[in-house]
């Protein structure tokens, strides 16, 4: 066995971009598996459509820019597609995920120059585009499978996504109405709708979609993404500052809000373990391109996202606020980095 001796300094080579992106995708798998388990095959179909669209759109742009298609091997398009796919309602029409993914790759990423040049998170740009353009479809989540009277299988999911109806002739809207009276999209949507109708938190929490920690299905999905986020930290693929400051900010604000007005606000557990909180904290807010790069800046950036999530969820018109909070925080990154950059050695500040 050869033993190589070399002079100092000794340092480990950083992970290549393809390896880094691929490992992040692996860490998404527990959450994706939970979404499939609780919401059916539609989630996997949406992910597959997003992946195919992402590679096709990026390949087209690379050809137009006369660049090598080997760039596709960096796995950044794959990660963007996975994030868009898991954000789509399982039975949303096929053309929506195609439009959103193509917009993310062509406009939000390649138009800025490609990977490393975009100032906004491409997946969140796509999500906001779809949410603003097609709010009815984007809030049409079915309840978890255990609450559905006619849970769609793979064939029904494919039929509903591509034709608008299951094999038995049910539309996604009809499937929601047949689900034991549970017609709300998500636990967060149920809460917001209940509060606007004058119901108290305790009354809303009696809805069938709630149960256990923070909502049937959603709590386990968030726990799975939390497990994937912990894996990211253990593998040193992300820095702890952003997710910890984000979750701490959201938890503290929701606790204070709940203490002040327990009948009209969601408690910390619901805020943390429902909606897209955990995937947002570990997989979206930590995007190395659009997030802050200094240590103090990351703490401020994460806390700002947590603040915006709480404000939008509590006082805004949207039940989940991850995408809007991240994009608004992306705008502040240049100023945050400028104000928190470390001093050069010997510089007096």
């Amino acid at each position: 066995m050869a033993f190589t001796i070399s002079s100092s300094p000794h340092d480990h080579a950083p992970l290549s971009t393809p390896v880094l992106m691929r490992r992040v995708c692996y860490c998404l798998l527990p959450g994706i598996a939970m979404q499939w388990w609780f919401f059916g095959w539609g989630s996997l179909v949406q992910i597959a459509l997003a992946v195919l669209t992402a590679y096709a759109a990026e390949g087209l742009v690379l050809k137009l820019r006369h660049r090598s298609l080997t760039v596709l091997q960096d796995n950044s398009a794959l990660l963007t597609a996975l994030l868009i796919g898991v954000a789509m309602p399982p039975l949303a029409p096929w053309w929506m995920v195609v439009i959103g993914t193509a917009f993310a790759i062509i406009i939000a990423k390649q138009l800025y120059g490609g990977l490393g040049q975009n100032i906004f998170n491409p997946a969140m740009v796509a999500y906001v585009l779809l949410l603003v353009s097609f709010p009815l479809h984007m809030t049409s989540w079915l309840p978890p499978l255990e609450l559905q009277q006619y849970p769609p299988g793979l064939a029904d999911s494919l039929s509903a996504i591509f034709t608008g109806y299951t094999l038995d002739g049910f539309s996604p809207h009809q499937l929601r109405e047949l689900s034991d009276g549970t017609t709300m999209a998500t636990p967060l949507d149920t809460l917001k709708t209940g509060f606007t109708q004058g119901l108290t938190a305790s009354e809303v929490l009696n809805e069938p979609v709630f149960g256990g920690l923070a909502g049937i299905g959603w709590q386990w999905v968030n726990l799975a993404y939390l497990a994937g986020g912990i894996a990211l930290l253990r593998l040193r693929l992300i820095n702890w500052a952003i997710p910890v400051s984000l979750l701490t900010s959201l938890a503290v604000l929701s606790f204070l809000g709940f203490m002040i007005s327990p009948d009209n606000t969601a408690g910390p557990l619901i805020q943390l373990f429902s909606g897209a909180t955990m995937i947002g904290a570990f997989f979206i807010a930590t995007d190395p391109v659009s997030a802050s790069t200094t240590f103090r800046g990351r703490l401020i950036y994460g806390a700002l996202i947590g603040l915006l999530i709480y404000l939008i969820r509590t006082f805004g018109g949207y039940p989940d606020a991850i995408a809007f909070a991240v994009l608004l925080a992306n705008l502040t990154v240049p100023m945050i980095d400028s104000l928190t950059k470390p001093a050069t050695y010997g510089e007096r500040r």
Side-chain angles (χ1 to χ4, degrees), residues 12-212:
H12 295 287
L15 292 175
S16 64
T17 298
V19 173
L20 173 64
M21 295 291 179
R22 185 168 63 249
R23 292 184 180 180
V24 175
C25 292
Y26 290 156
C27 291
L28 275 170
L29 293 181
I32 292 174
M34 280 293 130
Q35 285 195 225
W36 165 75
W37 180 262
F38 285 103
F39 297 101
W41 290 98
S43 295
L44 299 186
V45 175
Q46 299 291 352
I47 290 172
L49 288 171
V51 171
L52 291 174
T53 304
Y55 277 108
E58 185 139 287
L60 174 62
V61 174
L62 291 175
K63 277 291 187 180
L64 293 175
R65 296 177 63 189
H66 304 290
R67 296 188 60 188
S68 172
L69 292 181
T70 57
V71 176
L72 290 171
Q73 299 175 3
D74 65 11
N75 295 317
S76 62
L78 174 62
L79 179 57
T80 297
L82 290 178
L83 293 175
I84 295 173
V86 299
M88 298 295 297
L91 300 186
W94 65 271
W95 47 266
M96 286 182 56
V97 69
V98 171
I99 291 174
T101 307
F103 189 87
I105 297 298
I106 297 173
I107 305 299
K109 179 184 177 184
Q110 291 294 340
L111 191 64
Y112 283 92
L115 181 64
Q117 306 299 319
N118 50 285
I119 62 174
F120 297 106
N121 185 295
M124 294 301 95
V125 171
Y127 181 82
V128 168
L129 169 74
L130 295 175
L131 183 61
V132 172
S133 302
F134 313 104
L136 180 61
H137 286 299
M138 288 301 291
T139 55
S140 296
W141 281 80
L142 290 176
L145 294 180
E146 62 186 88
L147 296 178
Q148 295 184 37
Q149 187 173 348
Y150 300 102
L154 176 58
D156 281 324
S157 297
L158 286 169
S159 179
I161 290 170
F162 287 100
T163 70
Y165 295 93
T166 66
L167 297 178
D168 293 326
F170 293 117
S171 68
H173 178 70
Q174 289 173 318
L175 289 176
R176 288 195 304 277
E177 289 186 333
L178 293 171
S179 299
D180 298 331
T182 305
T183 58
M184 292 297 100
T186 66
L188 289 174
D189 197 358
T190 304
L191 273 171
K192 180 169 286 294
T193 303
F195 292 153
T196 58
Q197 294 174 346
L199 301 177
T200 65
S202 59
E203 291 172 332
V204 179
L205 293 176
N206 288 325
E207 292 288 335
V209 74
F210 287 99

Side-chain angles (χ1 to χ4, degrees), residues 185-270:
T186 66
L188 289 174
D189 197 358
T190 304
L191 273 171
K192 180 169 286 294
T193 303
F195 292 153
T196 58
Q197 294 174 346
L199 301 177
T200 65
S202 59
E203 291 172 332
V204 179
L205 293 176
N206 288 325
E207 292 288 335
V209 74
F210 287 99
L213 190 66
I216 295 175
W218 291 97
Q219 56 199 10
W220 293 107
V221 170
N222 273 276
L223 286 170
Y225 282 123
L226 173 60
I230 293 173
L232 290 177
L233 295 173
R234 292 294 300 271
L235 294 171
R236 298 184 179 181
L237 299 177
I238 62 172
N239 185 276
W240 63 266
I242 292 176
V244 170
S245 63
L246 188 159
L247 295 176
T248 301
S249 171
L250 180 58
V252 170
L253 290 170
S254 57
F255 175 76
L256 293 176
F258 185 74
M259 293 297 293
I260 294 171
S261 181
D263 289 335
N264 300 302
T265 56
L269 289 179
I270 294 177

